Amino acid sequence: MAEVLVYVDHTDGAVRKPTLELLTLARRIGDPVAVHLGGGADKAAPTLAEYGAVKVLAADAPEFADYLVVPKVDALRAAVEAVSPAAVLLPSSTEGKEIAARLALRIGSGIITDVVDLEAGDEGPVATQSVFAASFTTKSRVSKGVPVITVKPNSAAPETAPAAGEVEQLAVTFGETATGTRVVSRTPRESTGRPELTEAAIVVSGGRGVNGAENFAVIEDLADALGAAVGASRAAVDAGWYPHTHQVGQTGKTVSPQLYVAAGISGAIQHRAGMQTSKTIVAVNKDAEAPIFDLVDYGVVGDLFQVVPQLTEEVKAR
Ligand code: FAD
């Protein structure tokens, strides 16, 4: 079976969930080979093997941390030359998409971004994208070179499939441009102790109905009671009530949690584009005609300032 390169998104060897999703999808089109760049490959290897990596190609060098994405592109190019894979899969993160675009250019391949599903095809992997605010899905494949594909988080549920996952060193020669942009400082985002939005099993989001930054405490209280991440509609973000990193929707993040709670959100198509694949959707809205109710599994017509705190108390009491 052909090998499929999977770029490992990690922090010092702690593998992030989107990588496990990529490994799961990769198995549909070949044998996943994980490419781990930077420190921590030995720590990551057992997890990568558990989710089906037949091999881990590892490279560690200060360049990966000290410079922006180009050293990683050089490394992936070396991996492509070493393996001749059926495809290269990366997460659809800001970094993943930049690496993917540069890699595709370097190796003269086609690229498909923001894929939500992937299957094997007679002439190469067939990728599904959700376009025009999720109004249509398209299927496409790369017709030139090794397909470079970025996949949106939460497109597949990670499934284990234990494999060998032995670590092999990958020899990388950095090109002239690798050290073109040096990282001068990193400022970790203040931790809220809540899960990352795109990886959370439960998301509680607030919209214009929350009516003020200070009122987002109501949303956060329910999120904390449920162990959830906090999301926001664009209206709430544009009003400056919550940071853009929490925006859900077409121009925000795509989430697909087990449970999505929308409070004071009307359900505009651009918001739905980012959450409509959630497994169970609950909405609280005082307008019984709000379009979000067309989408929900459970809907509460009422004032969120009465309903949400009651919900929080009920969850806490259990
Ligand atoms: P509104 O549509 O104003 O809805 C507020 C809701 O709150 C209403 O239904 C109201 O009944 C309810 N409400 C008010 N008070 C209460 C209360 N006390 N209790 C209960 N309910 C109450 N939007 C996104 O969310 N994400 C995106 O990524 C995004 N991208 C966009 C990209 C483009 C190109 C465009 C054109 C638009 C985009 N939008 C996006 C904006 C989108 O069209 C909507 O304007 C936005 O989603 C509306 O946010 P909202 O539902 O919070 O506000």
Side-chain angles (χ1 to χ4, degrees):
M1 214 185 203
E3 292 176 320
V4 179
L5 292 182
V6 171
Y7 173 78
V8 178
D9 186 8
H10 70 99
T11 309
D12 297 326
V15 180
R16 295 168 68 94
K17 186 169 158 260
T19 301
L20 309 181
E21 295 164 13
L22 292 184
L23 289 167
T24 303
L25 286 174
R27 295 205 304 273
R28 296 187 188 165
I29 53 175
D31 288 330
V33 172
V35 181
H36 186 289
L37 307 177
D42 287 336
K43 181 177 165 195
T47 307
L48 298 169
E50 190 186 347
Y51 285 85
V54 295
K55 193 160 56 182
V56 179
L57 291 177
D60 192 8
E63 281 83 350
F64 294 127
D66 294 348
Y67 296 89
L68 285 187
V69 295
V70 182
K72 293 174 178 168
V73 178
D74 286 343
L76 275 173
R77 181 188 189 167
V80 168
E81 283 166 3
V83 169
S84 299
V88 184
L89 307 187
L90 303 97
S92 268
S93 58
T94 311
E95 184 187 73
K97 285 201 268 195
E98 187 176 350
I99 295 172
R102 288 172 181 268
L103 177 69
L105 195 67
R106 290 273 195 92
I107 62 175
S109 286
I111 177 172
I112 309 177
T113 57
D114 290 337
V115 164
V116 295
D117 203 6
L118 197 60
E119 60 198 287
D122 293 340
E123 296 171 75
V126 177
T128 304
Q129 288 164 300
S130 175
V131 298
F132 297 137
S135 307
F136 296 92
T137 54
T138 61
K139 284 184 187 288
S140 52
R141 66 176 175 79
V142 166
S143 54
K144 184 176 172 231
V146 175
V148 178
I149 296 170
T150 76
V151 181
K152 281 194 168 194
N154 287 311
S155 295
E159 284 167 20
T160 57
E166 270 166 33
V167 180
E168 259 179 40
Q169 292 307 310
L170 174 70
V172 185
T173 310
F174 295 118
E176 263 177 34
T177 53
T179 53
T181 316
R182 179 184 271 282
V183 176
V184 288
S185 70
R186 289 178 194 275
T187 311
R189 208 176 292 142
E190 234 170 78
S191 170
T192 57
R194 298 187 188 104
E196 217 285 310
L197 184 57
T198 54
E199 297 172 19
I202 306 176
V203 174
V204 182
S205 289
R208 202 193 307 271
V210 174
N211 199 25
E214 63 287 358
N215 297 342
F216 254 85
V218 174
I219 304 296
E220 291 178 337
D221 285 350
L222 177 58
D224 291 342
L226 289 166
V230 174
S233 73
R234 178 163 162 178
V237 169
D238 285 353
W241 302 340
Y242 225 69
H244 179 257
T245 44
H246 292 257
Q247 183 175 314
V248 173
Q250 186 185 335
T251 42
K253 291 185 172 154
T254 304
V255 299
S256 191
Q258 295 300 319
L259 172 64
Y260 186 88
V261 183
I265 292 177
S266 60
I269 187 163
Q270 296 90 351
H271 187 79
R272 293 161 71 137
M275 46 65 75
Q276 62 189 355
T277 56
S278 304
K279 308 296 172 290
T280 301
I281 299 172
V282 176
V284 182
N285 197 305
K286 64 182 184 185
D287 176 8
E289 304 297 321
I292 190 88
F293 286 126
D294 297 340
L295 193 66
V296 298
D297 299 283
Y298 302 96
V300 183
V301 179
D303 185 335
L304 74 91
F305 294 107
Q306 288 174 5
V307 177
V308 175
Q310 284 181 45
L311 208 51
T312 307
E313 287 315 310
E314 188 61 35
V315 173
K316 279 186 184 164
R318 291 187 179 216

